Amino acid sequence: MVTLLLDQTQLEVVLSPLERVSTFRRENIRIARDTIAKVQLTDDAWTWLRGVPNPGTHIPGILAAGSWKAAGSLDFVLIRRHRPSVVIDLEGDDEFRRLILTTKHGLALTQALRLDVSDEPADVEEIVATSPIPVSKGSRRPVIRPRPA
């Protein structure tokens, strides 16, 4: 699983040595925070895969990793099996149009992007755990309690 670091200016996807080999990348992925247009959670990232590896690793149903080229756009993909994933659409990024990442921290990422964070990069799980999540009064659901027998 990738590690996601977030600060006020950028999202950094930290790749392990094995992930670097399978994606054919030497550096971590750094995305300017203002280029993130949309973040979506998915249970099956394979349906979001488009194009062909360029360069990348593809073992159908098991691993898709690296840059994927399709119709003039370039996506960064790191999908493992059929696990929860996050799809990040980008607008104005110099390198990629979309990131598709298998991570159990997708919900924490979406919550952390809504918060004001510090200047220092921090793991999205830590950001969400230490920051209060604002809840609007209109979004509270009524509590349903069982009736006594």
Side-chain angles (χ1 to χ4, degrees):
M1 298 274 172
V2 296
T3 301
L4 302 172
L5 300 178
L6 183 68
D7 65 19
Q8 287 183 348
T9 60
Q10 71 179 5
L11 169 68
E12 183 173 358
V13 179
V14 180
L15 302 173
S16 70
L18 184 57
E19 291 166 341
R20 290 176 194 272
V21 169
S22 63
T23 60
F24 296 90
R25 287 196 62 98
R26 293 184 178 155
E27 306 260 330
N28 293 334
I29 307 295
R30 289 179 182 85
I31 302 296
R33 195 169 171 176
D34 60 353
T35 64
I36 298 173
K38 185 170 32 172
V39 178
Q40 301 174 71
L41 303 177
T42 181
D43 287 331
D44 189 9
W46 294 95
T47 60
W48 291 89
L49 196 60
R50 58 186 181 185
V52 294
N54 185 37
T57 303
H58 185 215
I59 304 170
I62 297 173
L63 177 70
S67 298
W68 287 66
K69 189 170 188 165
S73 70
L74 192 65
D75 299 343
F76 179 78
V77 175
L78 189 52
I79 304 171
R80 292 192 180 117
R81 303 207 182 260
H82 293 279
R83 295 186 177 148
S85 302
V86 63
V87 179
I88 305 169
D89 289 321
L90 307 171
E91 288 181 4
D93 187 69
D94 294 336
E95 191 173 4
F96 299 113
R97 294 284 313 255
R98 180 182 284 171
L99 304 178
I100 306 171
L101 308 168
T102 297
T103 179
K104 61 183 175 183
H105 305 299
L107 182 58
L109 173 64
T110 59
Q111 292 172 340
L113 285 170
R114 295 181 191 165
L115 300 172
D116 291 327
V117 296
S118 70
D119 293 335
E120 295 297 316
D123 193 314
V124 294
E125 282 288 303
E126 293 174 16
I127 293 171
V128 172
T130 59
S131 298
I133 303 293
V135 177
S136 65
K137 292 180 183 179
S139 67
R140 294 185 185 195
R141 292 186 227 171
V143 176
I144 300 172
R145 296 189 175 108
R147 294 182 186 181

